[in-house]
Amino acid sequence: MPEDSLGVPPGTLIMLVLRVLQHGPLHGYAIAQRIHALSADVLQIEEGSLYPALQKILLKGWAEGEWGVSETNRKVRFYQLTPAGRKHLATKVADYDRVTEAIQSILRPARS
Amino acid sequence: MPEDSLGVPPGTLIMLVLRVLQHGPLHGYAIAQRIHALSADVLQIEEGSLYPALQKILLKGWAEGEWGVSETNRKVRFYQLTPAGRKHLATKVADYDRVTEAIQSILRPARS
DNA sequence: AGCTATACCTAGTTAAGCTATGCTTTTCAA
DNA sequence: TTGAAAAGCATAGCTTAACTAGGTATAGCT
């Protein structure tokens, strides 16, 4: 793993993958690049984390996979969000926000 | 685990424990209560998570433990932050903030 | 021809919180 | 006064989820 990039916190990977799929289908490799770029190079998804996560996403029906050809002319699998995936994403983001706010209230309580 | 309380995200427990020790020594049971209360009852630390974490904190020298008697007249172990613990906490909070901001930039990018 | 980047996949490891369980002591109600 | 509940500490084993390390293949460039 690169010097100053970090792995995603356990429990957030699938949420992040579904989130970047929200504005259109992407193939696996591109998903990792998108997350890396959107996070200003802070987050790094290893392939050994990504592909098992994508398998789980297909299995759960949160996205559908379709083989195609990439812009760089390679055989790739495109993932497209399903309604169930959209719903799951919304739930996960809500949970994440709730916990994140709770942690903030411990790290930075209103009354010092 | 109670209905609407959640466990802490993996990787944050020790940070939270050290944080609540920052304003003075506490015993284990009280640490869990403090985290629960400060988070508005959102976060719940199970005892099977707490005590192993406290062992690790002692082992790493982030806090010192001292047996004493609680306000409710029970034999308890008080944990007091060390300078190393303070330093570790600062590092962990900085890392946490960095990752949290990165995740936010994926969940809520500047340009929609 | 060979190197690099792109692209997918899986087996086995590791980290960390949780479940379940066990123990002791104090307090309070029946 | 005895029994249950709460306070308090602790550990063994389970589970989840990401990672390391390996493998395969193709496109494009030198």
Side-chain angles (χ1 to χ4, degrees):
Chain A
M1 180 135 60
E3 203 70 29
D4 54 348
S5 284
L6 306 169
V8 300
T12 62
L13 177 55
I14 285 179
M15 175 180 75
L16 294 175
V17 169
L18 297 180
R19 180 63 184 86
V20 300
L21 289 180
Q22 237 182 355
H23 66 39
L26 287 174
H27 61 268
Y29 200 83
I31 290 170
Q33 289 181 319
R34 189 68 63 103
I35 289 175
H36 187 68
L38 280 176
S39 73
D41 302 352
V42 171
L43 301 180
Q44 178 78 28
I45 313 291
E46 300 304 324
E47 300 194 350
S49 311
L50 177 65
Y51 293 106
L54 289 171
Q55 294 300 321
K56 180 171 179 182
I57 285 171
L58 288 182
L59 199 68
K60 293 282 192 172
W62 295 326
E64 279 165 7
E66 193 181 356
W67 286 97
V69 175
S70 78
E71 59 285 354
T72 58
N73 205 33
R74 274 169 184 82
K75 197 179 65 168
V76 295
R77 187 132 103 169
F78 287 101
Y79 295 85
Q80 170 142 23
L81 216 50
T82 63
R86 255 174 260 278
K87 188 176 169 187
H88 181 72
L89 173 58
T91 303
K92 283 299 177 179
V93 170
D95 285 352
Y96 175 82
D97 286 344
R98 184 147 167 267
V99 169
T100 299
E101 280 167 36
I103 290 178
Q104 285 304 321
S105 72
I106 291 168
L107 295 182
R108 287 142 191 124
R111 68 112 184 77
S112 177
Chain B
M1 182 134 58
E3 203 69 30
D4 53 350
S5 285
L6 305 169
V8 300
T12 62
L13 177 54
I14 284 179
M15 175 179 76
L16 294 175
V17 169
L18 297 180
R19 180 64 184 88
V20 300
L21 289 181
Q22 238 183 354
H23 66 39
L26 287 174
H27 61 268
Y29 200 84
I31 290 170
Q33 289 181 320
R34 189 68 64 102
I35 290 175
H36 188 68
L38 280 176
S39 71
D41 302 352
V42 171
L43 302 179
Q44 178 79 26
I45 313 290
E46 300 304 324
E47 301 194 347
S49 311
L50 176 64
Y51 293 106
L54 289 172
Q55 294 300 322
K56 180 171 179 180
I57 285 171
L58 288 181
L59 199 69
K60 293 282 193 173
W62 294 328
E64 279 165 6
E66 193 180 356
W67 286 98
V69 175
S70 78
E71 58 285 354
T72 58
N73 203 34
R74 275 170 185 82
K75 197 179 64 167
V76 294
R77 186 131 102 168
F78 286 100
Y79 295 84
Q80 170 143 22
L81 215 51
T82 62
R86 256 174 259 279
K87 188 176 167 186
H88 181 72
L89 173 58
T91 304
K92 283 299 177 181
V93 171
D95 285 353
Y96 175 82
D97 286 344
R98 184 147 169 268
V99 169
T100 300
E101 281 167 35
I103 290 178
Q104 286 303 323
S105 74
I106 291 169
L107 295 183
R108 288 142 191 122
R111 66 113 185 78
S112 177

